[in-house]
Amino acid sequence: PRLTVLDMGATFMGGLQGNLDFPRNDASATAVWASAENTTSTETTPTFDKLSMSPKRITAFTDVSKQNLLQTSIAMENFVRNRLNRAVMNLLETACISGTGSSGQPTGLLTVSGTNDITIGTNGGPLTWALVVQFETETATDNADMGSLGYLFTPGVAGVLKTAKRDVAGNGFIWEGPNSNATVNGYRAMATNFLPSTLTKGTSSGVCHAAIFGNWSELMIGQWGGVDLLVNPYTKGKEALVELIINAWYDLGVRHPVSFCKCDEITLS
């Protein structure tokens, strides 16, 4: 699957040490008009909380027979290394979008509390031009329509939008461009299979797709150290097997959830 969150503008920080805390202003200061020249000023108290991040381990291993390695070149070992690294990145992308926040997983955009959420109907429904615009409207209403704004859809929804006109007069299609670099409503759009497409809303069982719009720079991804790959020819030496074990430490968080708007009840018809 195509890795998309970094392409959409997510903030990546590598080589981290120790836990991270990002202070954030969660209540703004306010000012008032003085009713007279010497009226006493009104107190205002902006408040802060923080986004905390700490390393969480991603791991996998695979066995390769020594005979396999003997009968092929070093390209086989490099192939396995690359596949393991790809598995790590796939899991990280999945966590960014739909991580549960439990069992060692970070909390993803579809799960984190505080994001805007579009409701289509009791049983979900197709994504219309008016609903596409609503993604932007919800974000703008929270003063969050700034930064690396863009849409992320499933390939199925992207396919529908490529053939859907913006209005009854037939003025242009909603989706314009390829899946990897398109525009929707004037913003960048990409399609990815990491967004779920088997969700349920009412009687629409297992057929609903998800979509996300927002300022992707507010999605923070941290990496501690590098990707650790251990080649272990000893543990399973009696079976002539070599273990390749990969470990990596990541975490992610959403700095301001109102910077994103999601919908998880889109049907294709």
Side-chain angles (χ1 to χ4, degrees):
R2 179 183 295 112
L3 302 177
T4 54
V5 295
L6 292 176
D7 286 341
M8 292 299 293
T11 301
F12 181 84
M13 299 162 291
L16 300 177
Q17 296 181 351
N19 296 341
L20 291 182
D21 287 330
F22 291 95
R24 55 187 176 188
N25 181 204
D26 64 349
S28 299
T30 58
V32 298
W33 290 103
S35 58
E37 179 181 358
N38 301 116
T39 300
T40 301
S41 179
T42 301
E43 180 182 4
T44 181
T45 306
T47 60
F48 296 85
D49 67 354
K50 63 183 179 180
L51 169 64
S52 298
M53 295 172 61
S54 59
K56 297 174 175 59
R57 185 167 70 107
I58 298 176
T59 184
F61 80 92
T62 190
D63 293 335
V64 182
S65 73
K66 289 190 175 181
Q67 180 176 327
N68 190 323
L69 295 174
L70 289 171
Q71 289 182 318
T72 57
S73 67
I74 190 64
M76 168 55 73
E77 184 176 328
N78 287 338
F79 173 81
V80 176
R81 289 171 184 260
N82 289 336
R83 291 301 90 190
L84 287 173
N85 189 60
R86 183 71 176 191
V88 168
M89 297 308 295
N90 285 352
L91 188 63
L92 178 62
E93 181 97 350
T94 300
C96 287
I97 292 173
S98 54
T100 63
S102 61
S103 301
Q105 295 184 39
T107 303
L109 288 168
L110 294 178
T111 312
V112 67
S113 60
T115 59
N116 292 292
D117 194 351
I118 291 179
T119 300
I120 298 179
T122 304
N123 302 311
L127 193 62
T128 63
W129 173 238
L131 287 171
V132 168
V133 174
Q134 188 178 341
F135 279 90
E136 177 193 351
T137 304
E138 295 281 349
T139 307
T141 300
D142 287 319
N143 298 313
D145 55 335
M146 61 187 76
S148 301
L149 294 169
Y151 292 91
L152 203 60
F153 296 106
T154 66
V157 173
V160 171
L161 298 182
K162 288 179 182 180
T163 60
K165 292 288 187 176
R166 288 197 297 264
D167 55 43
V168 293
N171 294 317
F173 294 100
I174 297 176
W175 183 287
E176 297 179 341
N179 281 0
S180 59
N181 188 20
T183 58
V184 170
N185 195 22
Y187 296 98
R188 188 176 184 194
M190 295 184 71
T192 176
N193 282 310
F194 284 106
L195 275 170
S197 58
T198 56
L199 303 172
T200 296
K201 179 67 183 291
T203 59
S204 299
S205 179
V207 297
C208 292
H209 296 234
I212 301 172
F213 172 82
N215 176 9
W216 291 88
S217 64
E218 294 281 73
L219 174 62
M220 317 292 288
I221 303 172
Q223 180 184 18
W224 283 259
V227 175
D228 178 73
L229 185 70
L230 173 65
V231 179
N232 176 16
Y234 306 109
T235 302
K236 298 184 179 179
K238 291 181 180 180
E239 291 83 32
L241 293 172
V242 177
E243 279 187 328
L244 282 85
I245 308 165
I246 196 167
N247 287 290
W249 287 264
Y250 290 93
D251 197 11
L252 61 96
V254 182
R255 186 158 48 184
H256 293 103
V258 294
S259 294
F260 291 91
C261 182
K262 67 181 180 181
C263 182
D264 55 7
E265 51 186 78
I266 303 169
T267 63
L268 300 186
S269 60

